Amino acid sequence: MDFSLTEDRRMLQDSLTRYLTEQYPVEHRNKVAYDLPCHDHAKWDEMAELGALFALAPEDAGGFGGSGFDINVVFEALGTTLNCEPVLGALMASRLMTKAGADQEALLSGATKYAFAVSEVEAPYDPAYIECSAATSGDGHVLSGRKTSVYGGQVAEMFLVAAKLDGKLAVFEVQAADANVVSYPMMDGGGAAELLMDGTRAKLLIADAAYAVQDALNAGVVALCAEAVGAMAVTHDTTVDYLKQRKQFGVPIGKFQVLQHRAVDMLTEIEQSRSITIKAAAELGGADATRYASMAKNMIGRAARLIAEEAIQMHGGIAMTWEYPISHFAKRLIMLDAQLGDTDFHLTRIMNALKAA
Amino acid sequence: MDLNFTPEERAFRDEVRSYLAENLPEYMSDAVRSGGELTKELMEEWHAILNKKGWLATIWPVEYGGPGWSPVEKYIFEDECCKAYAPRIVPFGLSMLGPVLIKFGNEEQKKTILPRILDGSDWWCQGYSEPGAGSDLASLKTRAVRDGDEWVINGQKTWTTLGQHADKIFCLCRTDPDAKQQEGISFILVDMNAPGVELRPIKLIEGGHEVNEVFFTDVRVPCSSLVGEENKGWTIAKYLLTHERTGIAGVGFSMQSLEEVKALARTVRRNGKPLAEDPLFAARVAQAEIDLEAMKLTNLRMLYKAQQQGAPGPETSILKIKGTVINQELKDLARRALGPVAAPFPGHVTDGNLMFGPEDTANNAARYFNNRKTSIFGGSNEIQRNILTKTMLEL
Ligand SMILES: Cc1cc2nc3c(=O)[nH]c(=O)nc-3n(C[C@H](O)[C@H](O)[C@H](O)COP(=O)(O)OP(=O)(O)OC[C@H]3O[C@@H](n4cnc5c(N)ncnc54)[C@H](O)[C@@H]3O)c2cc1C
């Protein structure tokens, strides 16, 4: 057993974390995150140069990573600095392109931004209920339907779209220029888009894609969990620092035992979250990947809410302000639950497995 | 034991309900339902409507223009207002300063200030908290020094709710720095337009502007601005904090939230069926409903006791703690029901016609975040527990 990172991953973690802390700190992030395009082109390029995207794909697909642990390293670094660049979309698209054996040099270098359009208003979490449909047209295909909450869609040049073709889930490439893309910043920062298609030109990428889509979603879940672990750790550290500094009734509020114990409970949940995320990362790509991804996302949903709400409460009014970074960490931690399946959705999956056993 | 309201109380409820049906403009209830920020004009207009009927200053005695209601009648009125989605009455003048002046003010103050609260001439805000004095309010530092027939004020207040609309602010100021903390504080009224008063907005977590910092630099107000006795301001502050506690559970607002969550559970479709058929989500709603049902009765039991005893007791801290937690849970459920479609930043979607969820749901995530304040202000839930520990448990 060895819980240490390999030399390569440690170097990536160090360089990415240092870069983001110095060049893309939360103050800058907050300037970028809440107004379209919710994206800093120059910094995106620099992040790609550091390997933030190449780390997401295996060597035979042109990257230098691609395992769950690589994803963890990248996204935990993003989480500690609350980064809002569209890396999640790039990750899920890369998983699909690896499965399809497609050339993804443009994606991994950051030159072309990809997003994965999978959620729908009435099927936000479960791809089995996707209604968006494809039809053949000449020697290609056309897509119709609405995709919702396409993370990174506000700047994507290329969408990978999950749609039904002859009743089966398939994945298509759709050029942003060919579809109606309605963009918006999100409550917790970062951008997304609604993708409105009506006989929109599309190129088939994967015909029988249920497995590939699930793999992309599992990778996305691992990424979100790692991001949350990073964000939770910073939130907790900041809260504990504040407990030491803030004085009321003549003593640091950290002297009040009720707050001490709650800060310890937060720590416990973060350690548990870190563990389940490592497990999900280890299983990614394997036969039980979906099960462990669900376990992780369920626990993260619960823990992240606890950390966010307790951090605000134990800070008092100051964490209710836009100016204080913890409010933004808290928003991210809460809203992340509604990405790629909330805590109830993933719990249901574990419950159903219980029935089947 | 009889859980029914008396025939008179039921008749009163009918009267309130039909009054609201006739007098509450639809555009106001729509604005309240949407959960966005209300404009100053809207709030003032609603105050004016209620004032015409004599129902604005719900807790003032009749001689000062109040309706003379019992605690139960006041409860019924607030309950019906919530059901009708009426705007909340802005509390600073009506529920805070008004009762203080009636109890501690001199005749001149009552005569000049109370009518201006009623007719909307003055919008008041509350200047208690400071950057260094939150839960430990008695450590406040803003200084007021006597100079001839004036007070000269220096210092800073913060978290001043709706200070951007205010004409006046009532402040706790330190007037005797050598006395024990609680004994050197005075309650002083200040004109927001006086030279030396500066207001700076604070942007909240969800992006809204409802609180402010207020800075005082050599602000001069006449000596007559002192309410009650010099250095006895803490008594007034305590009176205020324990006086107006019956509405503290926010039961009516939680009922609104519960109805909204139920409506969402029925209309939001997820994975081929209404969300209400998802057993996990249904369990969350059911649990919140059970908690709220109990809270309604807990609230009424304490109201009844207050009516019997003439004043609410320390047990009302239970209402604050549990009431805010239930409401926060319901706000969480509304956001949860919408899932990812709650994510767009309200008002920032480039195609304004695009629907993201059922109507009026755009502000759900913002409301969830904004509502975290309720367990922090008005005496945080930790402070409420300290109060209960001392007074009820005597630990
Ligand atoms: C949106 C909003 C609106 C507000 N409006 C107004 C207004 O209009 N006018 C006004 O004067 N004030 C207003 N307030 C201020 C509010 O009353 C204070 O935020 C509150 O008193 C808490 O103070 P604080 O924020 O400084 O937190 P702190 O007092 O610093 O508390 C930080 C944390 O420590 C805990 N804590 C403190 N002491 C103890 C203890 N002895 N034991 C255990 N735990 C403890 C607190 O519960 C909290 O969790 C508002 C606040 C907010 C957020």
Side-chain angles (χ1 to χ4, degrees):
Chain A
M1 211 163 299
D2 180 3
F3 283 104
S4 61
L5 290 176
T6 61
E7 184 62 16
D8 287 352
R9 292 197 185 110
R10 205 182 46 73
M11 279 168 57
L12 175 66
Q13 185 179 51
D14 289 350
S15 63
L16 194 55
T17 306
R18 193 172 334 109
Y19 170 80
L20 293 171
T21 313
E22 287 167 9
Q23 303 300 320
Y24 210 147
V26 174
E27 299 70 42
H28 179 66
R29 177 267 182 195
N30 286 347
K31 290 201 188 93
V32 174
Y34 296 98
D35 287 302
L36 289 173
C38 310
H39 171 60
D40 182 327
H41 293 272
K43 299 241 173 345
W44 169 260
D45 286 344
E46 286 169 9
M47 286 163 64
E49 269 166 40
L50 285 172
L53 303 176
F54 283 109
L56 305 176
E59 274 177 40
D60 53 12
F64 60 69
S67 81
F69 297 129
D70 299 301
I71 295 170
N72 264 5
V73 162
V74 170
F75 278 85
E76 192 174 332
L78 297 173
T80 56
T81 48
L82 217 54
N83 193 271
C84 64
E85 292 296 332
V87 188
L88 180 66
L91 166 67
M92 293 193 287
S94 166
R95 297 296 286 196
L96 293 166
M97 291 170 80
T98 300
K99 285 274 178 314
D103 177 11
Q104 49 182 304
E105 172 63 23
L107 184 160
L108 298 177
S109 68
T112 305
K113 283 178 289 296
Y114 280 72
F116 181 30
V118 59
S119 294
E120 297 182 359
V121 172
E122 294 192 356
Y125 304 142
D126 191 343
Y129 292 91
I130 283 175
E131 297 217 328
C132 182
S133 66
T136 45
S137 158
D139 52 3
H141 293 86
V142 289
L143 298 187
S144 294
R146 171 178 173 180
K147 289 290 176 182
T148 192
S149 315
V150 184
Y151 304 116
Q154 85 286 4
V155 284
E157 284 104 8
M158 181 69 89
F159 290 89
L160 300 190
V161 183
K164 289 273 169 69
L165 177 62
D166 303 325
K168 275 200 182 131
L169 202 56
V171 173
F172 298 84
E173 286 181 357
V174 171
Q175 308 262 3
D178 288 338
N180 181 6
V181 181
V182 179
S183 300
Y184 47 89
M186 292 189 286
M187 195 67 222
D188 55 330
E194 303 293 295
L195 186 65
L196 308 175
M197 297 170 297
D198 185 8
T200 302
R201 200 146 50 103
K203 190 174 139 218
L204 183 65
L205 186 70
I206 306 173
D208 193 354
Y211 176 75
V213 166
Q214 190 56 55
D215 172 72
L217 291 172
N218 290 345
V221 164
V222 168
L224 287 169
C225 291
E227 182 187 347
V229 168
M232 285 194 284
V234 173
T235 304
H236 184 250
D237 287 350
T238 310
T239 304
V240 173
D241 278 348
Y242 192 76
L243 294 182
K244 290 177 185 160
Q245 283 161 26
R246 171 71 170 171
K247 281 195 180 153
Q248 289 289 275
F249 304 101
V251 292
I253 56 174
K255 289 285 173 222
F256 300 126
Q257 200 168 48
V258 64
L259 302 186
Q260 293 171 352
H261 286 192
R262 282 156 64 185
V264 170
D265 289 346
M266 290 164 78
L267 178 66
T268 307
E269 293 308 315
I270 294 171
E271 286 306 322
Q272 286 280 84
S273 298
R274 197 180 283 283
S275 300
I276 200 81
T277 302
I278 291 172
K279 176 68 178 168
E283 297 286 340
L284 185 65
D288 288 328
T290 305
R291 173 174 171 77
Y292 290 103
S294 280
M295 285 193 176
K297 192 67 171 33
N298 168 265
M299 176 174 289
I300 293 288
R302 291 182 281 138
R305 179 181 177 195
L306 178 89
I307 305 309
E309 292 183 349
E310 286 287 67
I312 294 176
Q313 183 66 25
M314 288 163 59
H315 269 89
I318 187 154
M320 286 294 298
T321 66
W322 188 274
E323 199 182 334
Y324 193 72
I326 288 307
S327 66
H328 301 274
F329 278 89
K331 280 186 287 186
R332 181 73 197 109
L333 287 172
I334 291 291
M335 298 307 285
L336 188 142
D337 187 46
Q339 290 184 277
L340 310 185
D342 67 3
T343 184
D344 286 356
F345 173 80
H346 289 288
L347 185 64
T348 305
R349 195 178 265 158
I350 306 303
M351 287 162 62
N352 289 344
L354 193 67
K355 269 187 267 177
Chain B
M1 192 87 56
D2 180 1
L3 298 190
N4 294 307
F5 289 97
T6 64
E8 295 75 31
E9 286 161 352
R10 287 205 296 272
F12 176 70
R13 188 182 281 281
D14 291 341
E15 186 193 348
V16 173
R17 189 173 296 176
S18 52
Y19 168 81
L20 289 170
E22 279 162 34
N23 293 281
L24 173 64
E26 202 172 303
Y27 88 90
M28 286 192 192
S29 47
D30 285 349
V32 172
R33 208 174 262 119
S34 78
E37 283 175 49
L38 302 179
T39 63
K40 181 183 188 188
E41 290 67 35
L42 185 151
M43 293 185 267
E44 285 180 331
E45 199 190 326
W46 179 234
H47 281 196
I49 292 172
L50 287 175
N51 190 39
K52 218 165 102 198
K53 173 81 176 164
W55 284 3
L56 179 59
T58 58
I59 51 175
W60 297 9
V62 182
E63 50 180 312
Y64 297 108
W69 287 336
S70 70
V72 171
E73 284 168 326
K74 177 174 166 281
Y75 165 86
I76 291 171
F77 173 74
E78 285 171 358
D79 192 38
E80 287 299 320
C81 283
C82 282
K83 285 191 180 131
Y85 285 84
R88 281 184 210 213
I89 295 175
V90 182
F92 308 108
L94 289 153
S95 313
M96 296 182 178
L97 183 61
V100 161
L101 290 179
I102 289 165
K103 178 139 174 104
F104 299 96
N106 57 38
E107 283 316 308
E108 179 65 18
Q109 288 167 334
K110 291 184 208 178
K111 220 170 61 208
T112 53
I113 300 172
L114 294 178
R116 294 178 61 85
I117 295 177
L118 280 181
D119 71 13
S121 305
D122 291 331
W123 184 302
W124 285 88
C125 63
Q126 181 193 24
Y128 277 22
S129 305
E130 298 179 4
S135 299
D136 182 14
L137 186 57
S139 69
L140 61 91
K141 290 206 176 72
T142 296
R143 274 286 269 142
V145 178
R146 196 73 178 255
D147 180 24
D149 53 4
E150 287 179 324
W151 290 104
V152 184
I153 301 174
N154 280 285
Q156 184 198 341
K157 295 294 174 183
T158 191
W159 306 120
T160 318
T161 299
L162 301 185
Q164 71 267 36
H165 301 328
D167 306 294
K168 315 255 167 132
I169 180 169
F170 53 92
C171 292
L172 292 178
C173 300
R174 188 153 302 285
T175 38
D176 182 357
D178 301 323
K180 262 178 50 191
Q181 268 193 348
Q182 282 86 342
E183 285 161 18
I185 294 171
S186 299
F187 193 102
I188 298 177
L189 310 176
V190 182
D191 194 324
M192 291 291 279
N193 298 312
V197 179
E198 192 202 337
L199 179 125
R200 291 186 205 153
I202 297 175
K203 188 171 170 183
L204 283 186
I205 180 168
E206 84 292 351
H209 175 202
E210 66 182 51
V211 295
N212 306 272
E213 298 178 289
V214 183
F215 296 84
F216 302 87
T217 315
D218 293 329
V219 176
R220 288 179 170 269
V221 299
C223 275
S224 57
S225 310
L226 175 74
V227 176
E229 285 176 50
E230 186 172 340
N231 295 327
K232 290 282 187 287
W234 190 250
T235 316
I236 300 182
K238 273 206 322 219
Y239 170 77
L240 236 182
L241 288 178
T242 49
H243 174 75
E244 218 281 317
R245 311 257 299 172
T246 44
I248 204 168
V251 166
F253 299 107
S254 287
M255 305 252 292
Q256 282 180 353
S257 301
L258 178 66
E259 287 316 309
E260 285 160 23
V261 168
K262 284 183 175 176
L264 282 177
R266 289 185 209 107
T267 38
V268 170
R269 289 185 65 81
R270 188 166 297 170
N271 303 337
K273 49 183 201 254
L275 188 56
E277 289 175 28
D278 174 345
L280 291 177
F281 189 78
R284 288 180 189 274
V285 179
Q287 252 159 32
E289 182 167 16
I290 294 166
D291 286 350
L292 181 54
E293 197 56 39
M295 177 50 63
K296 277 194 233 168
L297 262 286
T298 307
N299 190 41
L300 285 171
R301 282 172 53 220
M302 292 189 183
L303 196 74
Y304 177 78
K305 197 167 161 206
Q307 188 146 308
Q308 302 285 304
Q309 295 180 341
E315 69 277 4
T316 47
S317 284
I318 291 174
L319 299 177
K320 166 80 194 326
I321 297 170
K322 199 67 191 177
T324 54
V325 168
I326 290 172
N327 195 261
Q328 289 175 336
E329 176 66 17
L330 288 163
K331 294 279 188 288
D332 175 77
L333 291 179
R335 179 185 51 72
R336 198 178 282 280
L338 291 168
V341 301
F345 211 108
H348 285 56
V349 182
T350 51
D351 176 353
N353 295 320
L354 202 59
M355 289 289 290
F356 282 83
E359 260 179 280
D360 285 340
T361 56
N363 293 309
N364 267 304
R367 273 200 273 188
Y368 161 80
F369 287 111
N370 179 280
N371 221 45
R372 301 311 304 173
K373 70 189 176 190
T374 59
S375 49
I376 296 171
F377 66 20
S380 75
N381 284 11
E382 289 74 23
I383 295 300
Q384 304 295 340
R385 286 185 176 91
N386 287 348
I387 293 172
L388 289 167
T389 305
K390 282 207 194 80
T391 55
M392 306 286 291
L393 310 185
E394 297 177 12
L395 286 171

